[in-house]
Protein backbone atom coordinates (compact mmCIF):
# COMPACT_ATOMS: atom_id res chain seq x y z
CA UNK A 1 0.00 0.00 0.00
CA UNK A 2 1.23 3.47 -0.69
CA UNK A 3 -0.09 6.81 0.49
CA UNK A 4 -2.53 7.35 3.31
CA UNK A 5 -5.16 4.81 4.32
CA UNK A 6 -8.41 6.24 5.69
CA UNK A 7 -11.92 4.96 6.27
CA UNK A 8 -13.08 1.37 6.75
CA UNK A 9 -11.47 -1.63 5.09
CA UNK A 10 -13.70 -4.36 3.72
CA UNK A 11 -12.93 -8.06 3.86
CA UNK A 12 -11.74 -8.06 7.47
CA UNK A 13 -14.15 -8.97 10.21
CA UNK A 14 -14.38 -6.47 13.03
CA UNK A 15 -12.96 -2.96 12.80
CA UNK A 16 -9.45 -3.05 11.34
CA UNK A 17 -6.70 -1.00 12.95
CA UNK A 18 -4.24 0.21 10.31
CA UNK A 19 -1.05 1.80 11.57
CA UNK A 20 2.58 1.98 10.50
CA UNK A 21 3.96 -1.54 10.31
CA UNK A 22 0.75 -3.40 11.14
CA UNK A 23 -2.60 -4.33 9.61
CA UNK A 24 -4.83 -5.78 12.30
CA UNK A 25 -8.37 -7.11 12.34
CA UNK A 26 -10.21 -9.58 14.50
CA UNK A 27 -9.03 -12.40 12.18
CA UNK A 28 -5.27 -11.74 12.40
CA UNK A 29 -2.33 -9.36 12.22
CA UNK A 30 0.50 -8.80 9.74
CA UNK A 31 3.03 -7.45 12.20
CA UNK A 32 5.77 -5.48 10.44
CA UNK A 33 4.19 -6.04 7.02
CA UNK A 34 3.87 -2.34 6.13
CA UNK A 35 6.78 0.08 6.21
CA UNK A 36 5.91 3.12 8.32
CA UNK A 37 7.97 5.39 6.05
CA UNK A 38 7.20 4.13 2.53
CA UNK A 39 3.90 2.26 2.93
CA UNK A 40 5.43 -0.72 1.08
CA UNK A 41 3.94 -4.12 1.89
CA UNK A 42 6.76 -6.61 2.56
CA UNK A 43 4.87 -9.93 2.56
CA UNK A 44 2.97 -11.96 -0.03
CA UNK A 45 -0.67 -10.86 -0.27
CA UNK A 46 -3.50 -13.40 -0.33
CA UNK A 47 -7.04 -12.44 -1.33
CA UNK A 48 -9.67 -14.96 -0.20
CA UNK A 49 -6.94 -17.37 1.03
CA UNK A 50 -5.15 -17.88 4.35
CA UNK A 51 -1.70 -17.75 2.70
CA UNK A 52 -0.26 -16.62 -0.62
CA UNK A 53 1.91 -18.77 -2.89
CA UNK A 54 3.09 -15.73 -4.91
CA UNK A 55 3.51 -11.98 -4.31
CA UNK A 56 -0.20 -11.49 -5.04
CA UNK A 57 -2.53 -14.50 -5.04
CA UNK A 58 -6.22 -13.96 -5.86
CA UNK A 59 -8.50 -16.95 -5.24
CA UNK A 60 -12.21 -17.51 -5.92
CA UNK A 61 -13.96 -19.63 -3.28
CA UNK A 62 -16.12 -21.43 -5.88
CA UNK A 63 -15.94 -22.21 -9.61
CA UNK A 64 -16.99 -18.68 -10.63
CA UNK A 65 -14.65 -16.31 -12.48
CA UNK A 66 -11.68 -14.74 -10.71
CA UNK A 67 -10.63 -11.45 -12.34
CA UNK A 68 -8.45 -8.46 -11.63
CA UNK A 69 -9.92 -5.24 -13.04
CA UNK A 70 -8.09 -2.01 -13.82
CA UNK A 71 -10.00 1.19 -14.54
CA UNK A 72 -9.77 4.96 -14.22
CA UNK A 73 -12.10 7.96 -14.30
CA UNK A 74 -12.19 7.88 -18.12
CA UNK A 75 -13.11 4.20 -18.45
CA UNK A 76 -15.60 4.07 -15.58
CA UNK A 77 -15.81 1.52 -12.79
CA UNK A 78 -18.52 -1.02 -13.71
CA UNK A 79 -17.85 -4.64 -14.73
CA UNK A 80 -18.02 -3.54 -18.39
CA UNK A 81 -15.28 -0.92 -18.01
CA UNK A 82 -11.49 -0.85 -18.09
CA UNK A 83 -9.31 -3.91 -18.47
CA UNK A 84 -9.69 -7.38 -16.91
CA UNK A 85 -7.32 -10.31 -16.57
CA UNK A 86 -7.94 -13.64 -14.83
CA UNK A 87 -9.82 -16.89 -15.32
CA UNK A 88 -13.42 -17.54 -16.34
CA UNK A 89 -15.89 -19.81 -14.60
CA UNK A 90 -14.89 -22.42 -17.22
CA UNK A 91 -11.21 -22.01 -16.21
CA UNK A 92 -10.18 -20.33 -19.48
CA UNK A 93 -7.55 -17.56 -19.27
CA UNK A 94 -9.10 -14.14 -19.92
CA UNK A 95 -7.42 -10.95 -21.11
CA UNK A 96 -10.28 -8.55 -21.84
CA UNK A 97 -10.01 -4.88 -22.81
CA UNK A 98 -13.54 -3.65 -22.15
CA UNK A 99 -12.97 -0.34 -23.99
CA UNK A 100 -12.54 0.25 -27.76
CA UNK A 101 -8.77 0.59 -27.34
CA UNK A 102 -6.09 -1.91 -28.37
CA UNK A 103 -4.26 -4.43 -26.22
CA UNK A 104 -0.55 -3.76 -26.62
CA UNK A 105 2.30 -6.11 -25.72
CA UNK A 106 5.78 -4.62 -25.50
CA UNK A 107 9.30 -5.54 -24.46
CA UNK A 108 12.06 -3.10 -23.47
CA UNK A 109 9.59 -0.23 -24.02
CA UNK A 110 8.96 -1.13 -27.67
CA UNK A 111 5.60 -2.29 -28.98
CA UNK A 112 5.81 -5.86 -30.34
CA UNK A 113 2.17 -6.99 -30.70
CA UNK A 114 -1.08 -5.02 -30.98
CA UNK A 115 -4.64 -6.35 -31.07
CA UNK A 116 -7.11 -3.64 -32.10
CA UNK A 117 -10.70 -3.64 -30.87
CA UNK A 118 -11.87 -4.63 -34.38
CA UNK A 119 -9.73 -7.81 -34.28
CA UNK A 120 -6.86 -6.67 -36.49
CA UNK A 121 -3.43 -7.84 -35.29
CA UNK A 122 -0.04 -6.21 -35.85
CA UNK A 123 3.19 -8.01 -34.98
CA UNK A 124 6.29 -5.84 -34.70
CA UNK A 125 4.56 -2.96 -36.51
CA UNK A 126 2.70 0.04 -35.08
CA UNK A 127 1.09 1.35 -38.31
CA UNK A 128 -1.71 -1.24 -38.55
CA UNK A 129 -4.54 1.28 -38.89
CA UNK A 130 -3.21 2.55 -42.24
CA UNK A 131 -2.94 -0.87 -43.94
CA UNK A 132 -6.51 -2.00 -44.19
CA UNK A 133 -10.02 -1.12 -43.29
CA UNK A 134 -10.78 -4.82 -43.57
CA UNK A 135 -11.16 -7.02 -40.55
CA UNK A 136 -9.60 -9.43 -39.84
CA UNK A 137 -6.13 -8.21 -40.74
CA UNK A 138 -2.68 -9.45 -39.73
CA UNK A 139 0.38 -7.30 -40.40
CA UNK A 140 3.85 -8.65 -39.71
CA UNK A 141 6.63 -6.14 -40.05
CA UNK A 142 9.95 -4.72 -39.05
CA UNK A 143 9.57 -2.30 -36.15
CA UNK A 144 12.05 0.06 -37.85
CA UNK A 145 10.09 0.13 -41.14
CA UNK A 146 6.82 1.94 -41.79
CA UNK A 147 5.75 -0.81 -44.22
CA UNK A 148 5.09 -4.31 -42.90
CA UNK A 149 6.75 -7.30 -44.51
CA UNK A 150 3.54 -9.32 -44.83
CA UNK A 151 -0.16 -8.37 -44.78
CA UNK A 152 -3.05 -10.84 -44.66
CA UNK A 153 -6.47 -9.17 -44.85
CA UNK A 154 -9.99 -9.78 -45.97
CA UNK A 155 -13.65 -9.72 -45.08
CA UNK A 156 -16.78 -11.70 -45.80
CA UNK A 157 -17.85 -9.19 -48.48
CA UNK A 158 -14.59 -8.70 -50.41
CA UNK A 159 -11.59 -10.56 -51.76
CA UNK A 160 -8.78 -11.52 -49.46
CA UNK A 161 -5.30 -10.08 -49.89
CA UNK A 162 -1.92 -11.57 -49.19
CA UNK A 163 0.73 -8.91 -49.71
CA UNK A 164 4.47 -8.99 -49.29
CA UNK A 165 6.14 -5.59 -49.18
CA UNK A 166 9.66 -4.24 -48.93
CA UNK A 167 10.99 -0.69 -48.61
CA UNK A 168 10.33 -0.01 -52.31
CA UNK A 169 6.65 -0.97 -52.00
Amino acid sequence: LTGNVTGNATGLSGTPNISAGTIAGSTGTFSGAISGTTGAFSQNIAIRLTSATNNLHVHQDDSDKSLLQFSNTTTGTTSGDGFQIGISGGEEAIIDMKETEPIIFSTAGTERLRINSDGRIAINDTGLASYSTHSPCLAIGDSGDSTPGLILRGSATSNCDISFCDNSG
Side-chain angles (χ1 to χ4, degrees):
L1 298 171
T2 58
N4 297 324
V5 178
T6 59
N8 295 326
T10 59
L12 295 174
S13 59
T15 302
N17 174 16
I18 301 175
S19 61
T22 305
I23 297 177
S26 62
T27 59
T29 300
F30 292 100
S31 179
I34 297 179
S35 165
T37 56
T38 65
F41 199 84
S42 63
Q43 297 178 4
N44 290 352
I45 300 170
I47 298 175
R48 299 184 116 177
L49 287 170
T50 57
S51 66
T53 58
N54 289 295
N55 293 344
L56 176 62
H57 189 148
V58 180
H59 176 76
Q60 179 61 31
D61 295 336
D62 55 25
S63 62
D64 199 2
K65 65 186 176 195
S66 182
L67 300 171
L68 294 177
Q69 182 167 338
F70 301 89
S71 61
N72 59 30
T73 56
T74 303
T75 64
T77 59
T78 70
S79 63
D81 294 324
F83 175 75
Q84 296 177 349
I85 186 167
I87 59 173
S88 72
E91 287 68 51
E92 299 104 351
I94 294 175
I95 297 174
D96 190 358
M97 178 55 160
K98 297 294 191 173
E99 310 301 320
T100 57
E101 299 299 328
I103 295 175
I104 298 172
F105 296 86
S106 63
T107 59
T110 301
E111 181 177 322
R112 304 296 182 190
L113 173 75
R114 172 184 292 248
I115 304 171
N116 283 354
S117 63
D118 61 5
R120 294 182 289 158
I121 299 171
I123 300 172
N124 220 26
D125 189 273
T126 58
L128 177 62
S130 64
Y131 302 130
S132 175
T133 57
H134 298 1
S135 183
C137 177
L138 171 65
I140 301 172
D142 175 358
S143 62
D145 185 358
S146 62
T147 304
L150 178 65
I151 304 171
L152 306 172
R153 62 185 167 203
S155 72
T157 60
S158 67
N159 294 331
C160 296
D161 296 331
I162 299 175
S163 305
F164 178 77
C165 306
D166 60 20
N167 284 337
S168 64

